[in-house]
């Protein structure tokens, strides 16, 4: 996979792209990670990339020329028979990024990310250049660089050969729609706190059953909305309903007590 990031702050990416799993994926040649400073494509002698908005009002707007110039420069480098890249604009009003989107993007061969920095974009960038608009959630950041890093991290780890243990990408939270069960390692007792007996039993079926129960319970308490999408057996749905009723009863008990 090839990934290019358009940014005014390429230095922000050096550490993230060179470290840990992303650094290894790059060293192995599974992904190429590059940045382009779109100021180099301003096309004017003062190298300006933004301007005042037509119609007035506050804030500055990123100009169309530098962004089109940088993207078209990248397109000119690739052979025409290749599938065209996804051109992804990071912006607060984009669709919220998710594991499903990570999966979808990991099947592409070329991604181009466009990062602005606390500014609006000239609407023609959205309309005539971009294929996707993404946000990472409902909070305000200073720019699209950190969101681009978040998305790239989650996409690259899904590429074949990136994770040592091939099963870990699949069994992680969200991939099967449930939160993970609790993990323990040695010692079996730490400051008097014991590891659950089921995990010490060595009985594989019992361990699997315990873990599945814990996953379901944990998802019910922390992220009940995930259960609507999760793949559950009829028995599991039934068990969750009794669990819900027990919790409801306990809650009502507390109300009458106070
Ligand atoms: C913050 C950009 C506020 C724009 C007109 C002129 C990308 C982000 C961002 C930012 C505004 C993401 C304006 C979650 C985020 C991002 C910076 C408002 C200012 N309008 N996901 N100037 N949160 N944020 N517009 O902040 O670029 S993905």
């Amino acid at each position: 996979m090839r990934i290019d990031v358009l940014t005014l702050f390429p230095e922000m990416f050096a550490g993230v792209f060179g470290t840990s799993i992303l650094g290894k994926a790059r060293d192995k040649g599974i992904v190429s990670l590059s940045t382009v400073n779109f100021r180099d494509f301003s096309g004017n002698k003062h190298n300006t990339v933004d301007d005042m908005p037509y119609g007035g009002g506050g804030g500055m707007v990123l100009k169309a020329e530098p962004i089109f110039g940088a993207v078209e420069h990248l397109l000119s480098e690739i052979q025409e028979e290749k599938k065209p890249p996804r051109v992804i604009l990071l912006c607060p009003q984009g669709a919220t990024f998710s594991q499903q989107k990570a999966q979808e993007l990991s099947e592409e061969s070329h991604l181009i990310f466009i990062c602005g920095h606390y500014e609006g974009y000239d609407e023609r960038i959205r309309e005539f250049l971009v294929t996707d608009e993404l946000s990472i959630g409902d909070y305000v950041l200073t720019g699209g660089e950190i969101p681009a890093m978040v998305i790239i991290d989650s996409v690259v780890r899904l590429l074949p050969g990136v994770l040592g243990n091939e099963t870990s990408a699949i069994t992680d939270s969200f991939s099967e729609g449930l939160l993970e069960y609790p993990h323990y390692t040695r010692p079996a007792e730490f400051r008097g706190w014991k590891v659950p007996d089921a995990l010490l039993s060595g009985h594989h079926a019992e361990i699997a059953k315990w873990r599945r129960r814990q996953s379901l319970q944990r998802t019910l308490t922390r992220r009940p909305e995930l259960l609507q999408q999760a793949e559950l057996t009829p028995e599991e749905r039934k068990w969750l309903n009794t669990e819900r009723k027990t919790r409801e009863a306990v809650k009502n008990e507390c109300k009458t007590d106070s």
Side-chain angles (χ1 to χ4, degrees):
M1 177 182 277
R2 172 172 177 174
I3 297 178
D4 297 290
V5 181
L6 274 57
T7 173
L8 295 174
F9 304 96
E11 65 280 8
M12 284 180 74
F13 291 84
V16 169
F17 284 179
T19 307
S20 182
I21 310 267
L22 288 192
K24 283 210 190 83
R26 192 191 216 178
D27 292 344
K28 286 193 203 168
I30 297 168
V31 66
S32 83
L33 299 163
S34 319
T35 53
V36 176
N37 190 335
F38 59 82
R39 195 177 295 284
D40 297 341
F41 295 87
S42 69
N44 60 72
K45 63 176 190 294
H46 296 294
N47 290 333
T48 57
V49 293
D50 55 6
D51 205 340
M52 282 145 50
Y54 273 117
M60 293 290 273
V61 177
L62 273 181
K63 292 158 70 65
E65 293 103 312
I67 306 291
F68 274 79
V71 170
E72 282 160 2
H73 168 74
L74 292 172
L75 295 178
S76 74
E77 285 179 344
I78 61 172
Q79 296 106 307
E80 266 178 47
E81 64 271 19
K82 282 250 173 87
K83 185 172 184 252
R86 295 278 279 264
V87 181
I88 301 160
L89 185 72
L90 286 318
C91 60
Q93 52 185 285
T96 309
F97 187 63
S98 63
Q99 190 61 30
Q100 195 191 316
K101 291 228 167 67
Q103 197 74 248
E104 182 192 319
L105 293 178
S106 74
E107 286 156 28
E108 296 284 339
S109 57
H110 188 187
L111 306 176
I112 298 175
F113 290 92
I114 303 171
C115 308
H117 221 82
Y118 215 94
E119 292 193 303
Y121 294 99
D122 186 291
E123 189 64 17
R124 288 162 292 192
I125 297 170
R126 289 202 158 85
E127 232 183 316
F128 304 113
L129 190 64
V130 155
T131 60
D132 302 80
E133 297 183 39
L134 291 177
S135 155
I136 60 164
D138 293 340
Y139 35 83
V140 184
L141 301 170
T142 57
E145 282 80 6
I146 292 171
M149 292 179 207
V150 166
I151 294 170
I152 291 165
D153 188 84
S154 72
V155 168
V156 171
R157 70 182 282 288
L158 294 175
L159 300 178
V162 170
L163 293 184
N165 179 358
E166 292 298 324
T167 60
S168 47
I170 309 159
T171 62
D172 275 338
S173 288
F174 305 114
S175 300
E176 37 176 1
L178 292 176
L179 299 185
E180 275 188 72
Y181 50 78
H183 303 284
Y184 293 89
T185 187
R186 285 182 288 188
E189 184 174 339
F190 171 71
R191 298 185 180 172
W193 300 309
K194 292 192 174 70
V195 172
D197 284 334
L199 295 178
L200 304 174
S201 68
H203 193 295
H204 290 297
E206 196 192 334
I207 293 168
K209 193 175 145 204
W210 183 87
R211 286 180 166 166
R212 185 73 184 174
R213 276 271 149 96
Q214 291 288 323
S215 270
L216 291 168
Q217 243 162 0
R218 198 162 260 211
T219 311
L220 180 61
T221 8
R222 298 185 185 202
R223 300 289 307 276
E225 80 282 6
L226 293 180
L227 291 168
Q228 277 150 14
Q229 306 291 322
E231 274 182 50
L232 304 175
T233 67
E235 292 73 40
E236 287 172 336
R237 296 230 171 252
K238 221 186 244 166
W239 180 80
L240 274 168
N241 280 332
T242 62
E243 196 72 2
R244 263 189 215 108
K245 277 183 197 126
T246 311
R247 284 169 194 219
E248 201 57 33
V250 171
K251 213 171 79 191
N252 290 333
E253 192 81 20
C254 293
K255 271 191 215 151
T256 51
D257 283 351
S258 59

